[in-house]
Amino acid sequence: MRNAIEVNGLIVTIDNSGCIGTKEHDLVKVPNEITAYFTARTAILEQLCAGAIPVQLLMANFSGDNVWNEYAEGFKKAFNEMDLNMPPLTGSSETNFSSLQSAVSLTIIGEKRFSGDRTNCLYYVVGEPLVGNDVMENLHKIANLKELFEGLQSGVIEAIWPTGSKGISAEIKRFIGEEYSAAINLETSAGPSCAVLVAVKKENEETFKYNMTAPLAEIVKMK
């Protein structure tokens, strides 16, 4: 697992977004639904990385009670993309004080449902590292949540590993455990898991490549 923990057989993941939304002092101006979508997307990818399917959502909303439904719609969009019903949502909103910038956190509880065999696999980076306004300007370069989920469900993909602010290079070391490289920027922030590492068997490589619409970069062992 990457940034997940197991508690009494359940998988817990979390992601948050700050200074991204519709408030005057936000650094990235996007609808709250979009903020929530990418927050949910990252936490869902962490669940899939751990071989789990989400069963419960918990939101911490610091942007005001009036945007709760907008955030909920963003979460729902991520699950709709995977052709899944959104799990029950509960949580809390800060209503005593009004924040100058938007902030939301999503915790997901999931159940283990599948596991892959990562021995003798080929490795790829799906998508490109993007952060801030570049995310919205390059949506076609982001690893597609539905495609990754379907790949795991069908067995074409053995395992995935999201990447984030530490860059792809740091995550390759955690995922594969050896020194590897790829023809892509490995050091810059990948934002809300815009790039995802994937393990795939040789016999499934062509099917995998055919099913992915985002850019691909093969991960090769350094000599």
Side-chain angles (χ1 to χ4, degrees):
M1 294 187 291
R2 183 177 177 262
N3 290 339
I5 60 171
E6 186 170 348
V7 182
N8 295 328
L10 297 173
I11 302 301
V12 182
T13 63
I14 186 171
D15 194 59
N16 56 76
S17 296
C19 309
I20 303 172
T22 58
K23 288 182 177 287
E24 179 182 356
H25 296 286
D26 284 336
L27 299 182
V28 179
K29 299 293 182 64
V30 295
N32 292 315
E33 182 178 327
I34 297 298
T35 303
Y37 166 79
F38 280 102
T39 303
R41 182 181 182 279
T42 300
I44 290 169
L45 285 169
E46 296 285 7
Q47 288 281 329
L48 299 180
C49 176
I53 300 295
V55 296
Q56 177 69 55
L57 309 182
L58 301 103
M59 179 183 3
N61 167 29
F62 300 94
S63 302
D65 200 39
N66 60 310
V67 301
W68 177 279
N69 289 337
E70 295 174 30
Y71 283 147
E73 284 301 310
F75 301 155
K76 184 178 180 180
K77 179 181 178 182
F79 286 97
N80 286 346
E81 186 175 324
M82 300 164 64
D83 292 325
L84 293 176
N85 292 325
M86 188 176 83
L89 172 65
T90 188
S92 177
S93 297
E94 171 58 69
T95 56
N96 289 308
F97 303 98
S98 179
S99 63
L100 296 178
Q101 293 173 303
S102 301
V104 63
S105 178
L106 179 66
T107 298
I108 298 182
I109 299 173
E111 296 178 344
K112 289 277 285 186
R113 297 283 180 84
F114 58 89
S115 61
D117 177 12
R118 283 167 53 184
T119 59
N120 301 316
C121 279
L122 303 173
Y123 297 96
Y124 281 86
V125 180
V126 180
E128 296 185 2
L130 301 166
V131 69
N133 290 310
D134 286 341
V135 175
M136 298 306 299
E137 295 171 2
N138 296 277
L139 294 176
H140 62 290
K141 295 181 180 179
I142 296 173
N144 185 280
L145 184 59
K146 180 178 182 179
E147 293 168 359
L148 294 172
F149 179 60
E150 290 179 344
L152 287 166
Q153 292 290 87
S154 67
V156 170
I157 295 174
E158 295 293 331
I160 67 166
W161 192 274
T163 66
S165 60
K166 293 182 176 62
I168 296 171
S169 179
E171 303 299 347
I172 288 177
K173 294 176 184 176
R174 295 177 65 191
F175 186 45
I176 305 175
E178 299 183 56
E179 292 294 327
Y180 281 75
S181 185
I184 195 171
N185 191 327
L186 300 177
E187 306 304 328
T188 189
S189 170
S193 298
C194 293
V196 176
L197 310 183
V198 169
V200 59
K201 298 291 187 184
K202 178 64 178 177
E203 59 266 28
N204 292 323
E205 183 182 24
E206 290 306 313
T207 302
F208 160 73
K209 288 181 178 179
Y210 179 80
N211 290 341
M212 297 297 110
T213 55
L216 299 176
E218 186 175 4
I219 300 173
V220 296
K221 191 170 184 178
M222 295 178 66
K223 299 179 180 180

